[in-house]
Amino acid sequence: MLYCIIAEDVPDSLNQRLAARPAHLQRLQALQAAGCLLIAGPMPAIDSDDPGTNGYTGSLIVAEFPSLDAAQVWANADPYLQAGVYKHIIVKPFKLVLPK
């Protein structure tokens, strides 16, 4: 089943985010290689594809996991959480309707 992982950054997280980004991306690439990643990306703090020093307010990941518990365990091991980038993470089941 698909799960939506919604993470909210702490204020002024850009430096921690940049430092932990390689490890964060490595985990996402592993999900993608396994055919489990639907979408992933950050939420810019301003209305721009490149927010510069304004940074980001969080992230969204939609991926397939065997269970809600497995998705939560995966989310809790995210390098951004361990590096203090994320204030909190919400994991919810997600049903894809469109596009198909």
Side-chain angles (χ1 to χ4, degrees):
M1 179 166 187
L2 292 173
Y3 295 90
C4 182
I5 300 169
I6 306 162
E8 183 180 354
D9 283 18
V10 300
D12 301 315
S13 63
L14 186 58
N15 288 334
Q16 297 102 302
R17 184 180 267 273
L18 292 174
R21 188 169 189 264
H24 173 77
L25 288 179
Q26 185 177 28
R27 294 178 80 237
L28 290 171
Q29 290 163 344
L31 270 182
Q32 184 178 24
C36 297
L37 183 64
L38 186 64
I39 61 168
M43 293 177 257
I46 61 172
D47 190 12
S48 174
D49 283 340
D50 181 5
T53 58
N54 291 293
Y56 299 90
T57 61
S59 301
L60 171 68
I61 299 165
V62 178
E64 186 176 352
F65 292 93
S67 68
L68 178 59
D69 286 341
Q72 188 69 61
V73 166
W74 187 91
N76 287 342
D78 195 294
Y80 280 172
L81 186 62
Q82 297 169 359
V85 174
Y86 291 156
K87 183 187 324 184
H88 65 271
I89 298 175
I90 298 169
V91 180
K92 294 183 176 189
F94 180 79
K95 181 179 177 182
L96 179 65
V97 174
L98 293 172
K100 283 200 175 205

